[in-house]
Amino acid sequence: RLERLQRVVTKLQMESGLCEEQLNQADALLQADVRLLAAGKAPQKAAEVERDLDKADAMIRLLFNDVQTLKDGRHPQGEQMYRRVYRLHERLVSIRTEYNLRLKSGAPVTAVTAVSVTSGQRRPEPDEAPLRYLQELLAWVEENQRRVSTAEWGADLPTVETHLGAHRGLHRAIEEFRTEGVEGAALWGVAVQGEDAAANHPPVPPQNSSKSRLRHLESLHGFVSSATKELLWLSEREEEEVAFDWSHNNAAMAAKKESYS
């Protein structure tokens, strides 16, 4: 059993390294396109960024499964591997959020918008970039509202910890959305100067439901952690009782009766 779990640890170490390289590549391509957008040029690597992020997402899902295997087997490196995969998940959420807000929408949130507002250059037409950007934000809100409302909770400690770690990453993305996405939508509202009503009403992220889920997950984690410790204690006591020699010839019977009383 220990040899099998150690092979899982080795696999986790190797594949988490590959996942980190995948995220580094996606981030490098994303930043290159962000610089192009800031210079008023069209992005060149959007498809590659999305492909790399999807690959990393699939890898992280499998890594979380391996982490749960370690935790189920009570391997001493289980918690360390969990933190490693959780950090990868946080980075994935962060890069994907920036990709959705800055690149996928086709509208840079700060640089190009600010230039068009302050320097008197031609404003985007109301049916072009601003509205497309707002549609992207609304789609992001709807997707993450759905994720929050349909997410599972977990029936044991490893799965609850996995869901808690995943939701912390999502909640951080939602918090970042408030500053990047909503402020960007407000800038676009200035850019189109009220030519479309939707531009003056930036989408509101699913913050309250996300906070509520995070609070409930933390509460559930605390309860399941305590319950798991009690269940482990009961299991140890059960093994002790099953293995005990209950015959009258056992010299320890008197002490056993005393402990029971």
Side-chain angles (χ1 to χ4, degrees):
R1 183 181 69 89
L2 289 175
E3 289 177 0
R4 178 177 61 84
L5 291 176
Q6 191 56 45
R7 286 197 294 271
V8 175
V9 171
T10 303
K11 177 173 174 283
L12 269 167
Q13 290 172 333
M14 179 183 69
E15 293 184 354
S16 62
L18 294 175
C19 183
E20 187 171 11
E21 290 177 7
Q22 193 83 54
L23 290 171
N24 288 340
Q25 177 174 305
D27 193 30
L29 293 173
L30 172 61
Q31 297 309 318
D33 269 1
V34 167
R35 288 192 293 270
L36 287 177
L37 282 171
K41 300 177 181 178
Q44 303 293 324
K45 304 292 185 180
E48 292 180 43
V49 173
E50 187 156 10
R51 186 168 59 248
D52 286 342
L53 291 176
D54 287 343
K55 286 182 181 178
D57 194 355
M59 294 172 73
I60 288 172
R61 291 176 189 274
L62 295 176
L63 290 172
F64 269 128
N65 290 337
D66 287 338
V67 166
Q68 183 168 333
T69 299
L70 291 184
K71 290 200 167 190
D72 287 343
R74 300 179 198 171
H75 192 278
Q77 287 182 270
E79 184 62 29
Q80 175 189 348
M81 290 294 102
Y82 166 74
R83 289 195 297 270
R84 185 169 182 172
V85 176
Y86 173 61
R87 284 194 296 270
L88 289 173
H89 181 267
E90 278 192 317
R91 187 158 183 233
L92 169 68
V93 170
S94 176
I95 296 173
R96 192 181 289 282
T97 299
E98 185 175 6
Y99 167 74
N100 286 335
L101 296 181
R102 296 182 182 273
L103 197 60
K104 190 175 180 181
S105 67
V109 176
T110 55
V112 172
T113 304
V115 167
S116 65
V117 172
T118 59
S119 65
Q121 294 179 6
R122 183 186 69 84
R123 297 193 311 272
E125 293 299 325
D127 58 343
E128 292 180 356
L131 299 187
R132 186 168 67 251
Y133 177 65
L134 288 171
Q135 289 167 357
E136 290 287 344
L137 296 187
L138 288 168
W140 190 94
V141 168
E142 290 172 0
E143 170 62 18
N144 285 284
Q145 183 65 64
R146 184 194 63 77
R147 289 178 63 186
V148 171
S149 60
T150 61
E152 297 180 359
W153 297 92
D156 53 33
L157 186 57
T159 54
V160 170
E161 287 181 338
T162 298
H163 289 310
L164 178 58
H167 187 70
R168 280 174 174 159
L170 175 60
H171 186 69
R172 177 175 296 180
I174 290 172
E175 290 291 321
E176 290 174 354
F177 178 91
R178 293 187 65 202
T179 56
E180 293 191 33
V182 175
E183 288 179 6
L187 281 173
W188 276 121
V190 173
V192 301
Q193 294 185 343
E195 292 177 78
D196 188 276
N200 293 315
H201 299 282
V204 178
Q207 185 188 22
N208 290 338
S209 53
S210 178
K211 276 185 177 179
S212 176
R213 174 170 168 79
L214 182 59
R215 184 173 64 253
H216 289 316
L217 274 171
E218 288 172 343
S219 176
L220 177 63
H221 181 261
F223 169 77
V224 175
S225 296
S226 299
T228 300
K229 290 178 182 177
E230 298 297 335
L231 289 169
L232 288 173
W233 184 88
L234 286 172
S235 178
E236 291 169 357
R237 298 290 80 73
E238 181 183 21
E239 291 174 2
E240 183 181 305
E241 300 305 304
V242 170
F244 188 76
D245 178 8
W246 290 94
S247 67
H248 291 291
N249 297 327
N250 186 355
M253 281 299 293
K256 192 69 167 178
K257 289 179 181 179
E258 179 67 23
S259 69
Y260 264 64
S261 66

